Amino acid sequence: SDVNEIWYMETAGGHHWVAQRIPDDAYVIAPNQTGIQEIDFNDPEHYMYSDDLKEFAEKNHLNKGRKGFNFRDIFG
């Protein structure tokens, strides 16, 4: 975080990660579980992620829902 924005980041296995920008009018409560859910890969203003995140999940058949990309369901 800095004076302009806050990002919440989570890792999956150390090499794969996702970060979600926290809106100015919001806050995060971070319990001991994965919190980031649906990722919009076409929205770089609000999401950042490791380069091979989607490919890793597809290659290892981790996205059981096959609808969207829910980080919590896949890696949590």
Side-chain angles (χ1 to χ4, degrees):
S1 67
D2 61 23
V3 297
N4 298 314
E5 59 190 8
I6 296 172
W7 287 82
Y8 178 70
M9 179 182 176
E10 294 184 324
T11 61
H15 300 286
H16 300 95
W17 58 271
V18 64
Q20 183 175 8
R21 186 179 185 283
I22 306 304
D24 293 338
D25 62 347
Y27 58 91
V28 172
I29 296 174
N32 192 18
Q33 68 179 25
T34 306
I36 296 176
Q37 296 183 51
E38 287 297 324
I39 299 172
D40 184 349
F41 291 97
N42 297 314
D43 186 2
E45 301 246 343
H46 295 97
Y47 295 93
M48 293 188 284
Y49 43 87
S50 52
D51 290 337
D52 65 339
L53 182 66
K54 278 177 72 171
E55 293 78 12
F56 179 81
E58 289 171 7
K59 177 183 173 187
N60 293 287
H61 310 285
L62 301 176
N63 192 358
K64 304 295 184 195
R66 307 271 186 229
K67 183 179 178 185
F69 195 93
N70 188 306
F71 189 79
R72 178 190 287 175
D73 289 347
I74 296 168
F75 294 103

